[in-house]
Amino acid sequence: MRRIRIGCVLAICGALPTFGAPAGAATEPLSLFGISSKNGTSLGVPMQIVILLTLMTLLPAAVMSITPFLRITIVLHFLRQALGTQSTPSNQVLLGLALFLSFIVMQPVAADMYHQGWEPLEAGRLSTDQALDQGTKPLRQFLVKFAREKDIKLFLELSKSPQPRTPADLELKVLLPAYILSELKAGFQIGAILFLPFLVIDLVIASVTLSIGMVQLPPVMISAPFKILLFVLVDGWNLVIGSLMKSFYV
């Protein structure tokens, strides 16, 4: 965080005119992030700051949609609804847990993207376009691994893209939405399976309360302690999180 602040201060200082410099004196443009245009000239500091701020605004959407965060949050939401504990755990706890679990899965991918893309760009061995292409290869491999073929075909047709010869030739504009659709389906499938045992408990409790005439007491209030007790006895958090994380290492 401190490095980002220092970089922003340097960028602003570099964008300002130099005091004491003669009027009309040419100054060499600075480069903060090694970003250059297609003809090889370095982009100006203000333009690089605009690009950085734009990427930072898109970062939350990328974290929520193109990482395991999407599937994990859906499953945890279904689990909380199945338990009937409305706001326990809270949204902040579930989101924090999903975020840390996503970091565990994506850390090797992010490390490969850094080593294959950013390091050669800083060393000057690759241009910006080449570094972008090399840096996105690990991400494409991760997305291809979990995107369904049916969803990929759908977005190939919608984008009117040519059929790739290999999965590595798929573009991100096809892979990203296909991965999101595939994760939505996987999350709902896991959530539905989690719902079934707790639904059975609700049905049993409801039938028992109706048979003995307890119509004034909601069956949900009676079934909630039994569902929580069952979940705790089978060590549910360990089973759910363990199975969920193993699904990303197949």
Side-chain angles (χ1 to χ4, degrees), residues 75-76 79 83 97 194 197-198 227-244:
V75 172
L76 293 180
L79 178 61
L83 286 172
L97 177 60
L194 283 176
F198 299 107
K227 291 189 291 186
I228 296 174
L229 182 61
L230 173 65
F231 189 71
V232 172
L233 288 177
V234 299
D235 198 7
W237 287 112
N238 185 280
L239 291 175
V240 172
I241 300 301
S243 301
L244 194 56

Side-chain angles (χ1 to χ4, degrees), residues 91-161:
N91 289 331
Q92 290 82 358
V93 173
L94 295 183
L95 292 178
L97 177 60
L99 190 61
F100 283 115
L101 294 178
S102 301
F103 283 157
I104 293 174
V105 178
M106 294 301 295
Q107 189 273 333
V109 179
D112 290 340
M113 294 175 65
Y114 176 79
H115 293 311
Q116 297 183 25
W118 185 258
E119 281 187 346
L121 178 64
E122 281 188 322
R125 297 193 301 269
L126 295 177
S127 64
T128 304
D129 293 338
Q130 293 173 336
L132 184 62
D133 181 66
Q134 292 294 324
T136 55
K137 282 184 177 180
L139 179 61
R140 288 202 296 266
Q141 293 174 358
F142 175 81
L143 298 178
V144 167
K145 190 175 180 180
F146 297 101
R148 296 189 307 159
E149 183 178 353
K150 183 178 180 180
D151 295 327
I152 293 176
K153 288 182 178 180
L154 171 63
F155 287 101
L156 282 174
E157 295 175 359
L158 293 177
S159 62
K160 295 181 173 58
S161 300

Side-chain angles (χ1 to χ4, degrees), residues 49-211:
I49 294 176
V50 170
I51 294 174
L52 177 64
L53 294 178
T54 303
L55 293 176
M56 290 179 65
T57 58
L58 297 176
L59 183 61
V63 170
M64 290 187 293
S65 58
I66 61 174
T67 66
F69 185 88
L70 178 60
R71 184 192 301 187
I72 295 172
T73 50
I74 292 174
V75 172
L76 293 180
H77 174 75
F78 271 105
L79 178 61
R80 188 175 64 180
Q81 292 294 320
L83 286 172
T85 56
Q86 305 303 326
S87 59
T88 304
S90 64
N91 289 331
Q92 290 82 358
V93 173
L94 295 183
L95 292 178
L97 177 60
L99 190 61
F100 283 115
L101 294 178
S102 301
F103 283 157
I104 293 174
V105 178
M106 294 301 295
Q107 189 273 333
V109 179
D112 290 340
M113 294 175 65
Y114 176 79
H115 293 311
Q116 297 183 25
W118 185 258
E119 281 187 346
L121 178 64
E122 281 188 322
R125 297 193 301 269
L126 295 177
S127 64
T128 304
D129 293 338
Q130 293 173 336
L132 184 62
D133 181 66
Q134 292 294 324
T136 55
K137 282 184 177 180
L139 179 61
R140 288 202 296 266
Q141 293 174 358
F142 175 81
L143 298 178
V144 167
K145 190 175 180 180
F146 297 101
R148 296 189 307 159
E149 183 178 353
K150 183 178 180 180
D151 295 327
I152 293 176
K153 288 182 178 180
L154 171 63
F155 287 101
L156 282 174
E157 295 175 359
L158 293 177
S159 62
K160 295 181 173 58
S161 300
Q163 291 291 334
R165 291 177 297 178
T166 62
D169 296 332
L170 287 168
E171 300 179 359
L172 285 178
K173 67 178 181 180
V174 173
L175 279 176
L176 293 180
Y179 172 82
I180 294 173
L181 281 188
S182 301
E183 288 296 284
L184 286 173
K185 180 178 180 180
F188 274 80
Q189 286 176 335
I190 299 173
I193 295 174
L194 283 176
F195 235 105
L196 291 178
F198 299 107
L199 180 61
V200 172
I201 295 177
D202 285 332
L203 292 175
V204 171
I205 296 296
S207 61
V208 171
T209 53
L210 289 176
S211 63

